[in-house]
């Protein structure tokens, strides 16, 4: 027999609206038993749990009329047990249903024959064979029913997705983990857990936890949950999280995904001793202020700062202090609106992968030299110099540049002195441009169809000259080769085989010939 406590705290939906039950019982002046509910649906509700001057319940969403009293009618849709939902999704009750499975699937390039769907359906009907269980959006709110049967039927589940279900109380989720102790990957995103989460003394081991789209939970809730489950990898994105203050010192988390929140400062995470991956993509971070008088991110290997608000090079330079950093993503920021990869590579010698591309030793050398030239151009002087006095002026400028370019002394020692601005300005355009010949030739033949001289920027990427070649050759099917021989026959050709490398990587200079082999 159900009691009032069986209803209080449960999520429900009715006629397309949803909410949580806060009260079950009699209401003064009204006959029968009522449900006092707090609506999640916007603009639904007339009060905050008070009727005729008596407070029956309190709404948790804050100020505003989110509460109502409703009858317990059959139209109310309640949550269901885990096992019931699993059977609903995976078990074929009637073998005749297999005959209704599609024999072909419409693909982008026509019909695709669907082979073995009936066999897959039969295998999935044996719940004990499943290690991955996807039960999103099935109104699950706990184990209930026969826990032993659930434990038997789902004994081999290791990956469990329960996103967008009817959970409100943390102990209901723990009941599932007690029943399915082998679960290693758990997704409980977009549920309705209430804050503060009541943590018990029990301890579990879940390797990966996703609690995305859960704006009702606080950072403290998430930390407590992750520690109780002994989580190695945690995702708490799209949840309006504004700060990560009071992060525990002894929290041995290895991966943390906080994508698309409202975080502006990541320094409270710097002390985490085992953190190897941090993803703060899509947060309004405009600066990175780390205090390197103490240990900061001692194990951090991968950092994603893409789609943030970084606009100052000082933020990138601060990453110099993270010696373990190897992989960095930083696309779509104000700082990197243009192609700033050369500067980033030169400023951070420890990284080996930038925005998904590996950095080769040759690329690093080229980028560092290019960066030295940028450093020199950024410093102005009123001193008129000649080439003979350039070296002495250069040493003075390097000291002046050190505050803005922390690696300048190291790079000068490695690659030599950058030319002073007065000298560099005279040859800037000449050093950047190369006068080359673009020669269109049919593949396999020697007949020159078109030959044209062009001035190209040596730091242009191979992919950036392709539009020029398309317009010249009037086709899109071609291969590019370059020859830097001084001989007229240009016998030695090198393929421009990497679109992400600059022309200078292939030695393009004045007099080079770029051959366009048309298919």
């Amino acid at each position: 027999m159900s009691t009032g406590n069986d209803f209080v705290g449960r999520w429900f939906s009715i006629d397309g609206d949803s909410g949580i039950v806060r009260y079950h019982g009699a209401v003064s002046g009204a006959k029968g038993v009522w449900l006092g509910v707090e609506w999640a649906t916007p603009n639904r509700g007339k009060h905050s749990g008070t009727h005729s001057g008596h407070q029956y319940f309190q709404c948790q969403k804050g100020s505003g009329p989110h509460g109502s009293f409703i009858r317990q009618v059959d139209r109310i849709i309640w949550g269901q047990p885990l096992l019931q939902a699993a059977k609903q999704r995976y078990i074929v009750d009637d073998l005749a249903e297999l005959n209704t499975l599609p024999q072909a699937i419409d693909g982008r390039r026509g019909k695709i024959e669907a082979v073995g769907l009936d066999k897959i359906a039969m295998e999935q009907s044996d719940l004990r064979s499943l290690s991955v269980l996807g039960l999103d959006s099935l109104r699950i709110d706990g184990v209930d029913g026969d826990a032993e049967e659930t434990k038997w039927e789902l004994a081999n589940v290791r990956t469990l997705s329960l996103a967008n279900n009817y959970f409100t109380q943390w102990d209901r989720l723990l009941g599932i983990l007690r029943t399915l102790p082998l679960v290693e990957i758990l997704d409980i995103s977009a549920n309705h857990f209430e804050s503060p989460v009541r943590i018990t003394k029990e301890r579990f081991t879940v390797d990966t936890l996703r609690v995305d789209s859960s704006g009702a939970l606080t950072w403290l809730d998430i930390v407590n949950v992750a520690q109780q489950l002994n989580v190695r990898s945690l995702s708490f994105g799209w949840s309006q999280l504004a700060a990560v203050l009071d992060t525990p010192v002894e929290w041995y988390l290895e991966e943390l995904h906080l994508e698309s929140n409202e975080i502006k400062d990541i320094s409270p995470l710097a002390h985490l001793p085992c953190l190897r991956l941090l993803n703060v993509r899509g947060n309004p971070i405009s600066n990175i202020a780390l205090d390197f008088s103490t240990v900061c991110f001692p194990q951090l290997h991968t950092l994603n700062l893409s789609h943030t608000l970084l606009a100052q090079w000082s933020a990138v330079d601060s990453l110099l202090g993270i010696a373990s950093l190897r992989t960095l993503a930083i696309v779509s920021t104000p700082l990197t609106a243009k192609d700033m990869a050369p500067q980033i590579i030169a400023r951070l010698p420890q990284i080996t992968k930038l925005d998904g591309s590996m950095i080769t030793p040759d690329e690093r050398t080229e980028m560092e030299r290019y960066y030295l030239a940028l450093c020199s151009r950024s410093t102005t002087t009123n001193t008129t110099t000649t080439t003979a006095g350039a070296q002495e002026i250069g040493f003075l400028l390097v000291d002046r540049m050190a505050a803005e370019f922390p690696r300048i002394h190291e790079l000068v020692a490695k690659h030599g002195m950058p030319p002073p601005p007065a000298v560099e300005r005279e040859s800037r355009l000449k050093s950047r441009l190369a006068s080359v010949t673009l020669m269109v030739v049919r593949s396999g033949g020697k007949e020159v169809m078109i030959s044209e001289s062009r001035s190209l920027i040596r730091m242009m990427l191979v992919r950036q000259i392709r539009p020029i070649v398309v317009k010249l050759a009037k086709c899109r099917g071609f291969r590019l080769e370059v020859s830097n021989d001084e001989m007229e026959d240009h016998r030695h050709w090198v393929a421009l085989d990497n679109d992400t490398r600059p022309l200078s990587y292939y030695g393009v200079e004045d007099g080079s010939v770029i051959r366009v082999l048309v298919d």
Side-chain angles (χ1 to χ4, degrees):
M1 179 177 178
S2 297
T3 66
N5 289 332
D6 293 329
F7 293 98
V8 174
R10 294 187 67 181
W11 196 261
F12 72 95
S13 61
I14 180 172
D15 301 334
D17 295 332
S18 58
I20 186 171
V21 177
R22 298 293 184 194
Y23 172 78
H24 177 270
V27 176
S28 176
K31 295 181 180 180
V33 177
W34 293 79
L35 296 176
V37 302
E38 178 178 356
W39 296 100
T41 305
N43 303 319
R44 183 75 190 268
K46 298 180 179 180
H47 53 75
S48 297
T50 301
H51 176 69
S52 298
H54 180 74
Q55 186 84 47
Y56 289 90
F57 64 91
Q58 289 186 334
C59 293
Q60 303 298 317
K61 290 175 64 176
S63 61
H66 305 300
S68 293
F69 288 103
I70 64 173
R71 290 287 191 182
Q72 185 180 333
V73 295
D74 291 339
R75 301 199 320 278
I76 296 179
I77 300 174
W78 302 99
Q80 64 175 330
L82 175 71
L83 183 58
Q84 180 176 316
K87 290 179 177 179
Q88 173 185 327
R89 172 152 292 182
Y90 287 96
I91 291 183
V92 178
D93 294 324
D94 186 352
L95 294 180
E97 292 182 28
L98 297 178
N99 297 326
T100 66
L101 293 174
Q103 299 303 308
I105 301 173
D106 290 328
R108 292 178 60 186
R109 298 185 179 180
K111 294 283 187 180
I112 302 173
E113 186 178 358
V115 179
L117 288 182
D118 54 345
K119 183 178 179 181
I120 293 172
M122 289 301 296
E123 289 179 352
Q124 289 185 340
S125 292
D126 179 11
L127 296 179
R128 285 187 58 80
S129 68
L130 298 179
S131 61
V132 178
L133 201 60
L135 300 175
D136 297 349
S137 306
L138 287 180
R139 299 184 290 105
I140 301 168
D141 65 358
V143 177
D144 294 334
D146 191 340
E148 288 302 318
E149 182 185 1
T150 303
K151 188 173 184 177
W152 166 259
E153 292 283 1
L154 306 179
N156 294 308
V157 173
R158 284 171 167 76
T159 299
L160 179 60
S161 184
L162 297 172
N164 193 33
N165 276 290
Y166 276 24
F167 290 99
T168 59
Q169 303 301 321
W170 182 241
D171 61 342
R172 303 281 289 175
L173 190 281
L174 294 183
I176 290 179
L177 294 181
R178 294 186 198 103
T179 307
L180 307 180
L182 298 184
V183 170
E184 299 173 346
I185 300 176
L186 177 64
D187 188 348
I188 52 173
S189 302
N191 272 282
H192 312 281
F193 293 106
E194 294 196 276
S195 179
V197 174
R198 296 193 177 104
I199 302 297
T200 67
K201 293 183 178 180
E202 294 177 273
R203 289 294 178 265
F204 300 83
T205 300
V206 174
D207 180 85
T208 302
L209 176 66
R210 288 190 284 271
V211 203
D212 298 327
S213 303
S214 300
L217 297 179
T218 67
W219 177 239
L220 180 59
D221 290 328
I222 294 301
V223 170
N224 289 337
V225 163
Q227 288 188 311
Q228 182 177 23
L229 301 186
N230 195 28
V231 168
R232 181 191 64 84
S233 176
L234 171 66
S235 180
F236 185 48
W238 298 274
S239 298
Q240 298 86 51
L241 178 64
V244 287
L245 301 175
D246 301 321
T247 301
V249 175
E250 296 184 0
W251 187 16
Y252 302 105
L253 192 69
E254 295 182 22
E255 297 182 3
L256 181 57
H257 300 265
L258 298 172
E259 189 170 351
S260 297
N261 280 299
E262 301 298 329
I263 299 169
K264 297 181 179 179
D265 182 13
I266 64 172
S267 61
L269 302 171
H271 61 266
L272 293 178
C274 301
L275 191 64
R276 290 182 52 79
L277 182 151
L278 177 60
N279 177 7
V280 288
R281 174 190 173 97
N283 282 271
I285 299 169
S286 60
N287 191 23
I288 299 176
L290 299 174
D291 180 10
F292 287 102
S293 63
T294 60
V295 177
C296 289
F297 294 112
Q299 299 293 328
L300 191 64
H301 179 279
T302 301
L303 178 61
N304 191 336
L305 293 169
S306 297
H307 295 271
T308 58
L309 300 181
L310 294 179
Q312 303 296 326
W313 282 113
S314 58
V316 174
D317 291 331
S318 69
L319 301 180
L320 266 171
I322 307 177
S324 57
L325 186 63
R326 295 294 179 270
T327 300
L328 176 66
I330 194 171
V331 298
S332 299
T333 68
L335 183 64
T336 55
K338 298 181 181 179
D339 185 11
M340 294 296 184
Q343 284 219 53
I344 296 172
I345 292 172
R347 288 174 182 266
L348 301 177
Q350 75 272 41
I351 64 172
T352 57
K353 189 175 184 180
L354 176 63
D355 295 327
S357 298
M358 299 300 297
I359 303 169
T360 66
D362 289 341
E363 285 174 321
R364 181 173 294 283
T365 297
E366 184 69 28
M367 298 303 101
E368 288 178 346
R369 289 173 176 170
Y370 176 66
Y371 173 69
L372 276 173
L374 290 178
C375 294
S376 178
R377 286 200 294 271
S378 70
T379 305
T380 58
T381 177
N382 295 324
T383 305
T384 301
T385 63
T386 63
T387 304
Q391 191 77 352
E392 181 179 355
I393 295 294
F395 282 111
L396 297 175
L397 292 177
V398 166
D399 289 336
R400 186 185 303 174
M401 289 186 280
E404 185 177 354
F405 307 104
R407 290 194 68 211
I408 188 69
H409 286 99
E410 176 187 349
L411 294 178
V412 166
K414 182 178 179 180
H415 300 293
M417 185 72 63
V423 175
E424 194 272 340
R425 279 195 297 270
E426 297 175 3
S427 58
R428 179 187 305 170
L429 187 60
K430 183 178 179 181
S431 65
R432 292 180 61 193
L433 294 178
S435 179
V436 304
T437 300
L438 293 177
M439 187 169 63
V440 182
V441 180
R442 289 198 179 277
S443 183
K446 295 185 177 180
E447 179 185 355
V448 178
M449 300 169 59
I450 302 173
S451 181
E452 183 176 300
S453 296
R454 287 290 184 97
S455 293
L456 300 178
I457 300 174
R458 297 180 67 250
M459 289 306 299
M460 286 179 67
L461 304 182
V462 172
R463 67 167 180 261
Q464 292 174 316
I465 71 167
R466 288 190 176 276
I468 300 174
V469 174
V470 168
K471 186 174 181 180
L472 179 66
K474 294 182 173 55
C475 71
R476 294 182 177 277
F478 56 81
R479 291 177 290 114
L480 298 176
E481 295 178 343
V482 63
S483 174
N484 300 310
D485 291 350
E486 295 182 359
M487 303 292 294
E488 290 187 1
D489 56 0
H490 292 279
R491 296 177 182 176
H492 299 96
W493 297 94
V494 177
L496 301 180
D497 55 2
N498 191 327
D499 278 357
T500 64
R501 286 177 172 167
L503 296 179
S504 60
Y505 176 84
Y506 295 96
V508 173
E509 55 189 14
D510 284 340
S512 295
V513 176
I514 296 180
R515 183 165 66 174
V516 183
L517 297 173
V518 179
D519 295 333

